[in-house]
Amino acid sequence: MHVISKHSAITLMNRRHAIVIDLRNPEDYSNGHIINSLNLNFDHIKTKILDKKNSSKKTLILVCENGKLSKKIFKKINKILQSKNFKIYILEDGINGWKLDNLPLIK
């Protein structure tokens, strides 16, 4: 399981154009999320990410409130995503950690 720091996540977003997948419920997402993140649940990851043909963005960062849900989802989709050459990371401490470090969120 690849848990990454906030600094590493920012680097991946800026240099590798990583897709940030916010797993929180839509209400929490609308109250503040990482810029350009997608608010997807487990079922939508397959339809929105995996089923896209020739996706050039193969780096994903899973984000939830505190990291626990991201770890559960990672375990469910890791083999499928790796077989399609995706690299999957989990944001350490989730959005809670992001907020504690006063990193920007948008509404």
Side-chain angles (χ1 to χ4, degrees), residues 38-76:
L38 301 175
N39 185 216
L40 302 175
N41 63 30
F42 175 73
D43 294 327
H44 290 120
I45 291 172
K46 184 177 184 316
T47 58
K48 300 283 185 179
I49 303 296
L50 290 180
D51 291 345
K52 284 188 174 181
K53 302 289 184 211
N54 301 318
S55 176
S56 61
K57 295 182 180 181
K58 297 280 190 174
T59 303
L60 305 178
I61 302 170
L62 302 179
V63 178
C64 64
E65 199 68 37
N66 56 23
K68 291 179 184 176
L69 178 60
S70 295
K71 288 176 184 174
K72 287 180 186 177
I73 299 297
F74 178 91
K75 288 177 183 177
K76 289 182 180 181

Side-chain angles (χ1 to χ4, degrees), residues 5 8 18 20-21 38 57 61-62 67 73 81 94 102-103 106:
S5 69
S8 294
V20 177
I21 299 176
L38 301 175
K57 295 182 180 181
I61 302 170
L62 302 179
I73 299 297
L81 289 171
N102 293 315
L103 292 168
I106 61 168

Side-chain angles (χ1 to χ4, degrees), residues 1-3 67 70-72 74-75 78 88-90:
M1 195 170 304
H2 304 286
V3 178
S70 295
K71 288 176 184 174
K72 287 180 186 177
F74 178 91
K75 288 177 183 177
N78 184 41
I88 313 107
Y89 301 93
I90 296 168

Side-chain angles (χ1 to χ4, degrees), residues 9-26:
I10 292 167
T11 299
L12 288 173
M13 288 184 268
N14 290 332
R15 293 191 183 156
R16 287 201 180 160
H17 305 287
I19 299 170
V20 177
I21 299 176
D22 192 319
L23 301 164
R24 297 175 301 146
N25 67 54

